[in-house]
Amino acid sequence: IIKITGYGPWTLTLGSDREHEIQMLQASLYLQIQKLFSEKNGLVFSNRSDEFFAITNGITLEDHIEIQKKLETSFDLKLSMSIGYGDSPFDANLSAYDGKKSEIKLNEEHNIFGFIDGKVESKVTIMHLDVDNLTSRGKTESPYEISSLIFKLYAKMSEFFLSKKALSFFMGGDNFMVVYANSNYLEDAEEFIKKIKNKFGIELNCGIGTGKTARDAVKLATKSLDTIRDIRDAGKDKPEIYEIA
């Protein structure tokens, strides 16, 4: 978890005409963090814009330190980094949170806290979901109404998958990703898709991928989602869920 430290007091130093500067900073920070972690086969998700979650399977502590050094030279703001691991993404989140809260320092000079997994290899499963044929709704609903629907969907998704100890993230447009680590992901995906269809009358597509790194998993998940679209566009009965392992 990468977080801006002392963010509130710093924003006040910008005066009242500051919001545009804050938004540009947050966008620039996300761009740089995503670039640095993706180069090492990780993937970054924005969390409330002043905080970021990076899925860093296979990335060493030395790699994290190298990334933190580069971020420190790119921005005037101070950033903290807390690392955690667990049997589920939510447990890893708790581990990172506890490391920061308890000030368990992995590298004092560069403000890195938390715990390192001693395993040589681990895997991560990621779902890539989108709304099937959302374009057709644009014929009867305005863009803002569609956005409202998407955020309602995201709220339901976050609540449902959090109960499974998985973490959900909105990726923009009508795309979402869920980071998973238990063996029931297919059954859980089926249950959630059914709930959303009954609740909102919309259909979801879900591509699933599992890999040793976040980028490996996302590549397979997106390829799975693309396969669903190809089957649909070919006029065949499309599956709601597709997995490439």
Side-chain angles (χ1 to χ4, degrees):
I1 302 173
I2 304 98
K3 186 170 179 62
I4 303 172
T5 59
Y7 195 41
W10 177 81
T11 60
L12 295 178
T13 67
L14 300 176
S16 299
D17 185 25
R18 62 178 180 259
E19 194 57 39
H20 63 290
E21 292 189 49
I22 292 172
Q23 295 302 317
M24 288 188 289
L25 169 71
Q26 290 174 168
S28 299
L29 186 57
Y30 173 70
L31 172 65
Q32 185 72 355
I33 293 175
Q34 186 71 273
K35 178 178 181 293
L36 292 172
F37 275 105
S38 65
E39 286 173 349
K40 297 187 181 295
N41 291 316
L43 190 74
V44 175
F45 300 102
S46 179
N47 187 54
R48 302 202 317 270
S49 295
D50 65 340
E51 184 176 75
F52 305 88
F53 278 70
I55 310 303
T56 62
N57 295 53
I59 300 179
T60 65
L61 175 59
E62 289 71 25
D63 291 330
H64 285 80
I65 294 171
E66 178 188 333
I67 290 171
Q68 182 76 323
K69 285 180 180 178
K70 290 179 179 178
L71 290 172
E72 287 172 343
T73 61
S74 300
F75 298 93
D76 294 331
L77 286 172
K78 294 293 184 181
L79 300 168
S80 70
M81 186 180 288
S82 50
I83 305 170
Y85 66 94
D87 292 331
S88 72
F90 180 71
D91 289 337
N93 152 76
L94 290 180
S95 174
Y97 169 66
D98 184 58
K100 176 73 178 299
K101 184 174 62 173
S102 304
E103 296 190 349
I104 308 297
K105 295 181 179 178
L106 292 170
N107 184 279
E108 185 169 0
E109 181 183 359
H110 298 290
N111 210 22
I112 300 177
F113 304 85
F115 307 93
I116 293 293
D117 190 354
K119 295 178 182 177
V120 177
E121 288 188 356
S122 58
K123 291 184 178 181
V124 59
T125 296
I126 292 182
M127 298 178 183
H128 189 174
L129 299 101
D130 73 359
V131 179
D132 189 58
N133 198 23
L134 184 63
T135 305
S136 64
R137 294 189 79 117
K139 297 176 181 178
T140 57
E141 296 178 53
S142 70
Y144 196 86
E145 289 173 298
I146 292 175
S147 293
S148 179
L149 174 64
I150 291 296
F151 289 129
K152 290 174 186 174
L153 169 59
Y154 184 32
K156 292 293 182 183
M157 184 180 297
S158 176
E159 181 181 18
F160 177 86
F161 286 112
L162 188 57
S163 71
K164 312 295 182 181
K165 294 194 169 184
L167 303 181
S168 307
F169 298 96
F170 175 54
M171 304 302 292
D174 64 342
N175 285 263
F176 306 85
M177 287 190 180
V178 183
V179 187
Y180 241 83
N182 72 49
S183 58
N184 296 324
Y185 55 85
L186 283 172
E187 293 88 344
D188 293 343
E190 289 174 358
E191 181 183 350
F192 179 70
I193 288 171
K194 184 177 180 180
K195 283 178 179 289
I196 292 304
K197 188 182 294 184
N198 292 336
K199 177 74 175 178
F200 297 116
I202 58 177
E203 295 186 11
L204 297 176
N205 301 316
C206 177
I208 302 175
T210 298
K212 293 180 181 178
T213 69
R215 274 190 64 180
D216 287 339
V218 168
K219 178 182 177 181
L220 293 173
T222 301
K223 188 174 181 180
S224 297
L225 188 63
D226 290 342
T227 301
I228 295 174
R229 293 168 178 156
D230 291 342
I231 293 171
R232 177 196 64 193
D233 294 345
K236 301 176 183 178
D237 291 336
K238 72 171 185 68
E240 293 178 322
I241 302 169
Y242 198 90
E243 178 181 17
I244 298 175

